[in-house]
Amino acid sequence: MISGAADSESAGRGLSNFHEVARLRANETQVLTQGGLLLGAVYLAGYVVECKLKHLLHLKGIRFPRGGSEGHNLRGLWLAAGFPAARGHAALFLDHWGTELRYETELPKGVDPHDLLAGGRELAQWVTTRIRQAGSNRFRSRGVR
């Protein structure tokens, strides 16, 4: 199912929660990281990025998939937001994150979870900046300063 700004009231409530869910998953990611549970932290970090991207897309009125594998496709959501290609740790994160991590007991050989977590943070920070910009642009377009 594709969702956008013109969805039903109940779907709209779910969309407005993306920001809050991202905040909660970020806190949980931090707890897991501090506890040395790095694979779980990487997994949840992906949901932080996903929820932030969906929040931004909603703010911008851009439709996006809500379910199935495409609903969790970080690279697809990243591209839908019109962002440039990710580089460095951020690109590494996009290359290695997927919902299938929930079934894994370890990351692929040679993939450092700290590098992935750094990439997840970079992506989340990038999107957070764009959310702030989108929010301030919405207020300006309404004449609010």
Side-chain angles (χ1 to χ4, degrees), residues 123-134:
L123 292 167
Q125 289 167 352
W126 175 275
V127 179
T128 296
T129 299
R130 298 324 176 272
I131 288 169
R132 287 187 187 123
Q133 292 169 344

Side-chain angles (χ1 to χ4, degrees), residues 25-46 48 93 112-118 120-121:
R25 295 296 87 83
N27 289 339
E28 294 164 351
T29 298
Q30 186 175 21
V31 169
L32 289 174
T33 300
Q34 291 169 347
L37 302 169
L38 301 180
L39 180 57
V42 168
Y43 178 65
L44 284 183
V48 172
F93 190 87
D112 185 332
H114 296 287
D115 290 342
L116 291 178
L117 289 167
R121 280 190 304 274

Side-chain angles (χ1 to χ4, degrees), residues 49-93:
V49 175
E50 177 186 327
C51 288
K52 286 180 178 280
L53 282 165
K54 288 179 176 179
H55 180 68
L56 176 65
L57 291 168
H58 174 67
L59 286 175
K60 294 174 92 176
I62 299 172
R63 295 170 60 89
F64 57 89
R66 296 276 323 263
S69 62
E70 285 306 305
H72 302 292
N73 179 341
L74 296 185
R75 190 173 302 282
L77 294 169
W78 185 262
L79 293 173
F83 293 154
R87 299 181 182 274
H89 290 122
L92 183 72
F93 190 87

Side-chain angles (χ1 to χ4, degrees), residues 13-28:
R13 280 195 303 271
L15 289 170
S16 67
N17 288 333
F18 281 129
H19 180 72
E20 180 64 15
V21 171
R23 188 186 66 74
L24 290 171
R25 295 296 87 83
N27 289 339
E28 294 164 351

